[in-house]
Amino acid sequence: MNEIQHKFQLKLAVAASEMLSERVAHIVLTDDRPLPAMRPGQFVQVAVPDGGVLLRRPISIHDISEADNTLHLLVQTVGRGTHSIASVKQGDEMDLVLPLGNGFPDMTEGRVLLTGGGIGTAPLLYLGRRLKANGCEVTFLLGGRTAKDILRREEYEAVARVMTTTEDGSDGERGFVTDHSLLGREQFDAVMVCGPTPMMKAVARWASVPCYVSLENMMACGLGACLCCVQKNHEGHNVCVCTEGPVFNTNELEWK
């Protein structure tokens, strides 16, 4: 059973902000007090800075640095809300509710494959860092349309081995992550995935070991009240992705 964590509404200072590509911003947040404990796979709800958008935006936790007390987010601009969030500058203040949801399992041994596509790679950096610290052997398999979509590659390489695929062949092997030759020649004890649903379903079909996926269903409240993020489980019942997920063992889902 997942441990219940307290949730906090905090106003954090923007320590750094940069655009990694035309559509993705890397935002670093900090506070005068130690940040609450957060687990890989959890997310935060961010208030849109300009105040013109009522609902908060759910953003995956990209990385945590306890040494300098920072929280890292990758924000992909889609609409007005995410554009406003991605536009923050150093010295600005952001209003967050955190930590939310249930994260990936905290494995302490074994070979673990972490695979993601596009912005779905975001939660894998902190996850890989934690699993490696626990004693696991970690491999990242990252996919994108082009080489420009393989974001913060050096940071992932500093944690563990990185393999890549791109649809145009500009980085790593050509194709999707499910096409990579790694899947046919190596064995893993667990697979953990985040990215587009078709990609996650394809990886789940391939995996013969425990497979955990982080769902990206549309969320509004992040607290299980609005029910807009519900997902059918393997028994045909609705579960709230924001509270019972976003991470699920694929055996718990009806699309396995």
Side-chain angles (χ1 to χ4, degrees):
M1 181 177 295
N2 292 295
E3 180 182 355
I4 296 176
Q5 282 187 292
H6 293 293
K7 300 172 180 61
F8 302 86
Q9 181 177 355
L10 301 176
K11 292 186 177 180
L12 302 181
V14 178
S17 180
E18 63 172 334
M19 294 301 297
L20 300 180
S21 67
E22 292 182 359
R23 296 185 59 202
V24 179
H26 173 215
I27 300 173
V28 184
L29 302 168
T30 191
D31 196 17
D32 294 333
R33 297 164 296 177
L35 294 172
M38 290 172 264
R39 299 196 301 268
Q42 291 186 301
F43 66 98
V44 302
Q45 287 279 95
V46 183
V48 177
D50 67 12
V53 178
L54 177 62
L55 296 176
R56 292 173 180 264
R57 294 296 185 264
I59 307 292
S60 298
I61 294 169
H62 174 51
D63 202 8
I64 297 286
S65 174
E66 296 180 358
D68 56 11
N69 197 44
T70 55
L71 162 65
H72 296 244
L73 306 177
L74 293 188
V75 180
Q76 179 171 276
T77 58
V78 178
R80 176 180 173 184
T82 48
H83 272 90
S84 180
I85 294 170
S87 299
V88 296
K89 306 298 182 185
Q90 183 178 4
D92 288 347
E93 189 176 71
M94 294 180 65
D95 186 319
L96 289 81
V97 176
L98 57 86
L100 298 172
N102 293 306
F104 288 96
D106 203 23
M107 292 179 59
T108 56
E109 61 181 2
R111 303 186 74 230
V112 187
L113 177 66
L114 308 183
T115 183
I119 196 65
T121 62
L124 301 184
L125 181 59
Y126 184 39
L127 174 60
R129 195 184 305 283
R130 284 281 294 266
L131 291 175
K132 184 178 180 181
N134 289 349
C136 295
E137 180 183 340
V138 175
T139 297
F140 292 111
L141 176 55
L142 311 178
R145 293 183 178 178
T146 72
K148 293 181 180 180
D149 297 314
I150 308 299
L151 304 172
R152 307 199 76 213
R153 179 172 182 155
E154 291 183 358
E155 283 71 20
Y156 288 88
E157 290 177 333
V159 173
R161 177 176 61 154
V162 174
M163 313 295 284
T164 63
T165 65
T166 49
E167 294 178 29
D168 66 355
S170 57
D171 193 311
E173 297 186 10
R174 181 186 293 273
F176 303 112
V177 291
T178 47
D179 299 321
H180 200 285
S181 59
L182 174 77
L183 303 186
R185 67 174 186 265
E186 296 192 24
Q187 300 293 319
F188 297 92
D189 298 301
V191 179
M192 303 184 187
V193 195
C194 186
T197 298
M199 184 213 76
M200 292 195 293
K201 288 185 176 182
V203 174
R205 288 192 295 269
W206 164 81
S208 59
V209 296
C211 181
Y212 301 88
V213 294
S214 179
L215 302 187
E216 297 182 326
N217 294 32
M218 185 71 70
M219 297 182 191
C221 71
L223 301 171
C226 68
L227 304 180
C228 75
C229 67
V230 292
Q231 169 77 35
K232 292 288 186 183
N233 67 8
H234 66 291
E235 297 177 334
H237 300 148
N238 285 329
V239 293
C240 281
V241 170
C242 66
T243 54
E244 298 183 59
V247 177
F248 294 89
N249 185 311
T250 53
N251 289 331
E252 301 172 340
L253 299 174
E254 55 87 19
W255 51 257
K256 170 67 174 178

